[in-house]
Short mmCIF file of all heavy atoms in Angstrom, two decimals:
data_model
loop_
_atom_site.label_atom_id
_atom_site.label_comp_id
_atom_site.label_asym_id
_atom_site.label_seq_id
_atom_site.Cartn_x
_atom_site.Cartn_y
_atom_site.Cartn_z
N SER O 41 -13.59 -4.56 12.70
CA SER O 41 -12.93 -5.13 13.87
C SER O 41 -12.90 -6.65 13.79
O SER O 41 -11.86 -7.27 14.05
CB SER O 41 -13.64 -4.68 15.15
OG SER O 41 -13.57 -3.29 15.29
N LEU O 42 -14.03 -7.25 13.42
CA LEU O 42 -14.09 -8.71 13.30
C LEU O 42 -13.19 -9.22 12.17
O LEU O 42 -12.51 -10.24 12.33
CB LEU O 42 -15.54 -9.16 13.08
CG LEU O 42 -16.49 -8.93 14.25
CD1 LEU O 42 -17.92 -9.29 13.86
CD2 LEU O 42 -16.05 -9.71 15.48
N LEU O 43 -13.18 -8.49 11.06
CA LEU O 43 -12.31 -8.87 9.95
C LEU O 43 -10.84 -8.81 10.38
O LEU O 43 -10.06 -9.72 10.09
CB LEU O 43 -12.54 -7.94 8.75
CG LEU O 43 -11.68 -8.23 7.53
CD1 LEU O 43 -12.27 -9.42 6.77
CD2 LEU O 43 -11.58 -7.01 6.64
N THR O 44 -10.49 -7.75 11.09
CA THR O 44 -9.12 -7.58 11.56
C THR O 44 -8.71 -8.72 12.49
O THR O 44 -7.64 -9.32 12.32
CB THR O 44 -8.98 -6.23 12.29
OG1 THR O 44 -9.28 -5.19 11.35
CG2 THR O 44 -7.58 -6.04 12.85
N ILE O 45 -9.55 -9.03 13.45
CA ILE O 45 -9.25 -10.11 14.40
C ILE O 45 -9.14 -11.45 13.69
O ILE O 45 -8.22 -12.24 13.95
CB ILE O 45 -10.30 -10.14 15.53
CG1 ILE O 45 -10.15 -8.87 16.39
CG2 ILE O 45 -10.16 -11.40 16.38
CD1 ILE O 45 -11.33 -8.62 17.32
N ALA O 46 -10.04 -11.71 12.74
CA ALA O 46 -10.01 -12.97 11.99
C ALA O 46 -8.70 -13.11 11.22
O ALA O 46 -8.05 -14.16 11.26
CB ALA O 46 -11.20 -13.05 11.04
N PHE O 47 -8.28 -12.03 10.55
CA PHE O 47 -7.05 -12.12 9.77
C PHE O 47 -5.80 -12.12 10.64
O PHE O 47 -4.78 -12.67 10.25
CB PHE O 47 -7.00 -11.03 8.69
CG PHE O 47 -7.67 -11.47 7.42
CD1 PHE O 47 -9.01 -11.26 7.22
CD2 PHE O 47 -6.95 -12.14 6.44
CE1 PHE O 47 -9.65 -11.69 6.06
CE2 PHE O 47 -7.57 -12.59 5.28
CZ PHE O 47 -8.92 -12.36 5.09
N LEU O 48 -5.89 -11.52 11.83
CA LEU O 48 -4.78 -11.65 12.78
C LEU O 48 -4.56 -13.12 13.13
O LEU O 48 -3.43 -13.62 13.14
CB LEU O 48 -5.08 -10.87 14.07
CG LEU O 48 -4.62 -9.43 14.14
CD1 LEU O 48 -5.32 -8.70 15.26
CD2 LEU O 48 -3.13 -9.36 14.33
N ILE O 49 -5.65 -13.79 13.43
CA ILE O 49 -5.56 -15.21 13.80
C ILE O 49 -5.05 -16.04 12.63
O ILE O 49 -4.13 -16.86 12.80
CB ILE O 49 -6.94 -15.72 14.29
CG1 ILE O 49 -7.29 -15.03 15.62
CG2 ILE O 49 -6.95 -17.24 14.44
CD1 ILE O 49 -8.74 -15.20 16.05
N VAL O 50 -5.61 -15.84 11.45
CA VAL O 50 -5.19 -16.58 10.26
C VAL O 50 -3.71 -16.32 9.98
O VAL O 50 -2.93 -17.25 9.73
CB VAL O 50 -6.05 -16.20 9.04
CG1 VAL O 50 -5.45 -16.72 7.75
CG2 VAL O 50 -7.47 -16.71 9.21
N SER O 51 -3.31 -15.06 10.05
CA SER O 51 -1.94 -14.68 9.75
C SER O 51 -0.95 -15.38 10.68
O SER O 51 0.04 -15.97 10.22
CB SER O 51 -1.81 -13.16 9.89
OG SER O 51 -0.51 -12.74 9.65
N PHE O 52 -1.20 -15.33 11.98
CA PHE O 52 -0.27 -15.95 12.92
C PHE O 52 -0.32 -17.47 12.88
O PHE O 52 0.70 -18.13 13.08
CB PHE O 52 -0.49 -15.40 14.33
CG PHE O 52 0.15 -14.06 14.52
CD1 PHE O 52 -0.60 -12.90 14.41
CD2 PHE O 52 1.51 -13.94 14.74
CE1 PHE O 52 0.00 -11.65 14.54
CE2 PHE O 52 2.12 -12.71 14.88
CZ PHE O 52 1.35 -11.56 14.78
N TYR O 53 -1.47 -18.04 12.56
CA TYR O 53 -1.56 -19.49 12.40
C TYR O 53 -0.68 -19.94 11.23
O TYR O 53 0.12 -20.87 11.35
CB TYR O 53 -3.01 -19.93 12.18
CG TYR O 53 -3.13 -21.38 11.80
CD1 TYR O 53 -2.98 -22.38 12.76
CD2 TYR O 53 -3.34 -21.75 10.49
CE1 TYR O 53 -3.06 -23.73 12.41
CE2 TYR O 53 -3.42 -23.08 10.12
CZ TYR O 53 -3.28 -24.06 11.09
OH TYR O 53 -3.36 -25.38 10.73
N LEU O 54 -0.84 -19.26 10.09
CA LEU O 54 -0.04 -19.61 8.91
C LEU O 54 1.44 -19.38 9.14
O LEU O 54 2.29 -20.17 8.71
CB LEU O 54 -0.53 -18.82 7.69
CG LEU O 54 -1.92 -19.18 7.18
CD1 LEU O 54 -2.41 -18.15 6.17
CD2 LEU O 54 -1.95 -20.58 6.60
N PHE O 55 1.76 -18.29 9.84
CA PHE O 55 3.16 -17.99 10.18
C PHE O 55 3.74 -19.11 11.05
O PHE O 55 4.86 -19.59 10.80
CB PHE O 55 3.21 -16.64 10.89
CG PHE O 55 4.57 -16.21 11.33
CD1 PHE O 55 5.66 -16.24 10.49
CD2 PHE O 55 4.77 -15.74 12.62
CE1 PHE O 55 6.92 -15.82 10.90
CE2 PHE O 55 6.01 -15.32 13.05
CZ PHE O 55 7.10 -15.37 12.19
N ALA O 56 2.99 -19.56 12.03
CA ALA O 56 3.45 -20.64 12.90
C ALA O 56 3.65 -21.94 12.11
O ALA O 56 4.62 -22.67 12.33
CB ALA O 56 2.45 -20.86 14.04
N ARG O 57 2.74 -22.22 11.18
CA ARG O 57 2.88 -23.42 10.34
C ARG O 57 4.14 -23.33 9.48
O ARG O 57 4.86 -24.32 9.32
CB ARG O 57 1.66 -23.60 9.42
CG ARG O 57 0.36 -23.96 10.09
CD ARG O 57 0.33 -25.38 10.61
NE ARG O 57 0.70 -26.37 9.64
CZ ARG O 57 -0.14 -27.14 8.95
NH1 ARG O 57 -1.44 -27.01 9.13
NH2 ARG O 57 0.31 -28.03 8.09
N ALA O 58 4.41 -22.16 8.94
CA ALA O 58 5.59 -21.98 8.09
C ALA O 58 6.86 -22.20 8.88
O ALA O 58 7.84 -22.77 8.37
CB ALA O 58 5.58 -20.58 7.47
N MET O 59 6.88 -21.78 10.15
CA MET O 59 8.10 -21.89 10.95
C MET O 59 8.42 -23.32 11.34
O MET O 59 9.49 -23.58 11.89
CB MET O 59 8.00 -21.00 12.19
CG MET O 59 8.22 -19.54 11.87
SD MET O 59 8.56 -18.53 13.31
CE MET O 59 7.17 -18.85 14.34
N ARG O 60 7.55 -24.26 11.05
CA ARG O 60 7.90 -25.66 11.27
C ARG O 60 9.04 -26.09 10.36
O ARG O 60 9.81 -26.99 10.70
CB ARG O 60 6.69 -26.56 11.00
CG ARG O 60 5.59 -26.43 12.01
CD ARG O 60 4.46 -27.35 11.65
NE ARG O 60 3.38 -27.26 12.61
CZ ARG O 60 2.23 -27.92 12.48
NH1 ARG O 60 2.03 -28.69 11.42
NH2 ARG O 60 1.30 -27.79 13.39
N LYS O 61 9.13 -25.46 9.19
CA LYS O 61 10.15 -25.85 8.20
C LYS O 61 11.14 -24.75 7.85
O LYS O 61 12.22 -25.03 7.37
CB LYS O 61 9.45 -26.28 6.89
CG LYS O 61 8.45 -27.39 7.03
CD LYS O 61 9.11 -28.71 7.19
CE LYS O 61 8.05 -29.81 7.23
NZ LYS O 61 8.56 -31.05 7.65
N ILE O 62 10.77 -23.51 8.06
CA ILE O 62 11.63 -22.39 7.68
C ILE O 62 12.27 -21.82 8.94
O ILE O 62 11.57 -21.61 9.94
CB ILE O 62 10.80 -21.31 6.95
CG1 ILE O 62 10.14 -21.90 5.69
CG2 ILE O 62 11.69 -20.12 6.56
CD1 ILE O 62 9.14 -20.99 5.03
N PRO O 63 13.56 -21.54 8.92
CA PRO O 63 14.22 -20.97 10.10
C PRO O 63 13.54 -19.67 10.54
O PRO O 63 13.09 -18.87 9.71
CB PRO O 63 15.64 -20.69 9.61
CG PRO O 63 15.84 -21.58 8.43
CD PRO O 63 14.50 -21.73 7.80
N ILE O 64 13.50 -19.46 11.84
CA ILE O 64 12.75 -18.32 12.39
C ILE O 64 13.23 -16.98 11.86
O ILE O 64 12.41 -16.09 11.57
CB ILE O 64 12.75 -18.34 13.94
CG1 ILE O 64 11.81 -17.27 14.48
CG2 ILE O 64 14.16 -18.19 14.47
CD1 ILE O 64 11.56 -17.35 15.97
N GLY O 65 14.53 -16.79 11.73
CA GLY O 65 15.05 -15.51 11.25
C GLY O 65 14.56 -15.20 9.84
O GLY O 65 14.11 -14.09 9.55
N THR O 66 14.64 -16.17 8.98
CA THR O 66 14.16 -16.01 7.60
C THR O 66 12.66 -15.83 7.59
O THR O 66 12.14 -14.93 6.93
CB THR O 66 14.56 -17.23 6.75
OG1 THR O 66 15.98 -17.35 6.76
CG2 THR O 66 14.06 -17.09 5.33
N ALA O 67 11.95 -16.69 8.31
CA ALA O 67 10.48 -16.63 8.31
C ALA O 67 9.98 -15.28 8.81
O ALA O 67 9.10 -14.67 8.21
CB ALA O 67 9.92 -17.77 9.16
N TYR O 68 10.55 -14.81 9.90
CA TYR O 68 10.06 -13.56 10.48
C TYR O 68 10.39 -12.37 9.57
O TYR O 68 9.55 -11.48 9.38
CB TYR O 68 10.65 -13.34 11.87
CG TYR O 68 10.00 -12.18 12.59
CD1 TYR O 68 8.68 -12.25 13.00
CD2 TYR O 68 10.69 -11.00 12.83
CE1 TYR O 68 8.06 -11.18 13.64
CE2 TYR O 68 10.09 -9.93 13.46
CZ TYR O 68 8.78 -10.03 13.87
OH TYR O 68 8.18 -8.97 14.49
N ALA O 69 11.57 -12.36 8.99
CA ALA O 69 11.95 -11.28 8.09
C ALA O 69 11.03 -11.25 6.86
O ALA O 69 10.58 -10.17 6.44
CB ALA O 69 13.40 -11.42 7.66
N VAL O 70 10.75 -12.40 6.30
CA VAL O 70 9.88 -12.46 5.13
C VAL O 70 8.45 -12.08 5.51
O VAL O 70 7.79 -11.28 4.82
CB VAL O 70 9.94 -13.86 4.48
CG1 VAL O 70 8.87 -14.02 3.40
CG2 VAL O 70 11.33 -14.10 3.89
N PHE O 71 7.96 -12.61 6.62
CA PHE O 71 6.59 -12.34 7.09
C PHE O 71 6.39 -10.84 7.31
O PHE O 71 5.45 -10.24 6.78
CB PHE O 71 6.37 -13.12 8.39
CG PHE O 71 5.10 -12.80 9.13
CD1 PHE O 71 3.87 -13.18 8.62
CD2 PHE O 71 5.13 -12.16 10.36
CE1 PHE O 71 2.70 -12.90 9.30
CE2 PHE O 71 3.97 -11.89 11.06
CZ PHE O 71 2.74 -12.26 10.52
N THR O 72 7.26 -10.22 8.07
CA THR O 72 7.11 -8.79 8.35
C THR O 72 7.41 -7.95 7.11
O THR O 72 6.80 -6.90 6.92
CB THR O 72 7.99 -8.34 9.53
OG1 THR O 72 9.35 -8.64 9.24
CG2 THR O 72 7.57 -9.00 10.81
N GLY O 73 8.33 -8.42 6.28
CA GLY O 73 8.65 -7.68 5.06
C GLY O 73 7.48 -7.63 4.09
O GLY O 73 7.16 -6.58 3.53
N ILE O 74 6.82 -8.77 3.90
CA ILE O 74 5.64 -8.79 3.04
C ILE O 74 4.57 -7.87 3.61
O ILE O 74 3.95 -7.09 2.89
CB ILE O 74 5.08 -10.23 2.89
CG1 ILE O 74 6.03 -11.09 2.08
CG2 ILE O 74 3.70 -10.20 2.23
CD1 ILE O 74 5.69 -12.57 2.09
N GLY O 75 4.35 -7.98 4.92
CA GLY O 75 3.34 -7.14 5.56
C GLY O 75 3.66 -5.67 5.45
O GLY O 75 2.80 -4.84 5.11
N ALA O 76 4.90 -5.30 5.71
CA ALA O 76 5.30 -3.89 5.67
C ALA O 76 5.23 -3.34 4.25
O ALA O 76 4.67 -2.26 4.02
CB ALA O 76 6.71 -3.73 6.24
N ALA O 77 5.81 -4.05 3.30
CA ALA O 77 5.80 -3.58 1.91
C ALA O 77 4.38 -3.52 1.36
O ALA O 77 3.98 -2.53 0.75
CB ALA O 77 6.69 -4.48 1.04
N GLY O 78 3.64 -4.58 1.59
CA GLY O 78 2.27 -4.64 1.09
C GLY O 78 1.39 -3.56 1.68
O GLY O 78 0.60 -2.91 0.98
N THR O 79 1.53 -3.33 2.98
CA THR O 79 0.73 -2.31 3.64
C THR O 79 1.11 -0.92 3.14
O THR O 79 0.24 -0.07 2.93
CB THR O 79 0.88 -2.41 5.18
OG1 THR O 79 0.50 -3.74 5.58
CG2 THR O 79 0.01 -1.41 5.89
N ALA O 80 2.39 -0.67 2.93
CA ALA O 80 2.83 0.62 2.39
C ALA O 80 2.27 0.84 0.99
O ALA O 80 1.81 1.94 0.66
CB ALA O 80 4.35 0.70 2.38
N ILE O 81 2.28 -0.20 0.18
CA ILE O 81 1.75 -0.09 -1.19
C ILE O 81 0.24 0.16 -1.16
O ILE O 81 -0.27 1.02 -1.89
CB ILE O 81 2.10 -1.35 -2.01
CG1 ILE O 81 3.62 -1.39 -2.26
CG2 ILE O 81 1.33 -1.39 -3.32
CD1 ILE O 81 4.14 -2.73 -2.76
N ILE O 82 -0.48 -0.56 -0.30
CA ILE O 82 -1.93 -0.34 -0.16
C ILE O 82 -2.20 1.09 0.29
O ILE O 82 -3.12 1.74 -0.21
CB ILE O 82 -2.53 -1.35 0.85
CG1 ILE O 82 -2.44 -2.78 0.31
CG2 ILE O 82 -3.97 -0.99 1.22
CD1 ILE O 82 -3.22 -3.05 -0.95
N GLY O 83 -1.40 1.57 1.23
CA GLY O 83 -1.57 2.95 1.69
C GLY O 83 -1.39 3.96 0.57
O GLY O 83 -2.16 4.93 0.47
N MET O 84 -0.39 3.73 -0.26
CA MET O 84 -0.15 4.66 -1.37
C MET O 84 -1.26 4.58 -2.42
O MET O 84 -1.68 5.61 -2.96
CB MET O 84 1.20 4.38 -2.01
CG MET O 84 2.38 4.80 -1.16
SD MET O 84 3.98 4.63 -2.00
CE MET O 84 4.18 2.85 -2.03
N LEU O 85 -1.74 3.36 -2.69
CA LEU O 85 -2.73 3.18 -3.74
C LEU O 85 -4.15 3.57 -3.32
O LEU O 85 -4.91 4.12 -4.12
CB LEU O 85 -2.74 1.72 -4.23
CG LEU O 85 -1.49 1.24 -4.95
CD1 LEU O 85 -1.59 -0.24 -5.27
CD2 LEU O 85 -1.26 2.05 -6.22
N PHE O 86 -4.51 3.27 -2.07
CA PHE O 86 -5.91 3.41 -1.68
C PHE O 86 -6.17 4.40 -0.55
O PHE O 86 -7.32 4.76 -0.30
CB PHE O 86 -6.48 2.04 -1.28
CG PHE O 86 -6.43 1.04 -2.39
CD1 PHE O 86 -5.53 -0.01 -2.35
CD2 PHE O 86 -7.25 1.15 -3.50
CE1 PHE O 86 -5.46 -0.94 -3.38
CE2 PHE O 86 -7.19 0.23 -4.54
CZ PHE O 86 -6.30 -0.81 -4.48
N LEU O 87 -5.14 4.82 0.16
CA LEU O 87 -5.35 5.68 1.33
C LEU O 87 -4.70 7.06 1.17
O LEU O 87 -4.50 7.77 2.14
CB LEU O 87 -4.84 4.99 2.59
CG LEU O 87 -5.50 3.66 2.93
CD1 LEU O 87 -4.80 2.99 4.10
CD2 LEU O 87 -6.97 3.86 3.23
N ASP O 88 -4.38 7.41 -0.04
CA ASP O 88 -3.79 8.72 -0.35
C ASP O 88 -2.52 9.03 0.45
O ASP O 88 -2.24 10.19 0.75
CB ASP O 88 -4.82 9.84 -0.14
CG ASP O 88 -5.98 9.73 -1.11
OD1 ASP O 88 -5.73 9.36 -2.27
OD2 ASP O 88 -7.12 10.03 -0.72
#
Side-chain angles (χ1 to χ4, degrees):
S41 298
L42 293 175
L43 180 79
T44 299
I45 293 166
F47 273 89
L48 269 164
I49 293 167
V50 168
S51 179
F52 280 98
Y53 171 77
L54 292 168
F55 178 49
R57 291 288 309 259
M59 284 196 304
R60 291 179 179 176
K61 303 284 184 193
I62 301 171
I64 188 170
T66 301
Y68 190 68
V70 170
F71 172 70
T72 58
I74 291 170
T79 303
I81 292 166
I82 294 297
M84 288 186 288
L85 293 176
F86 300 108
L87 300 173
D88 295 323

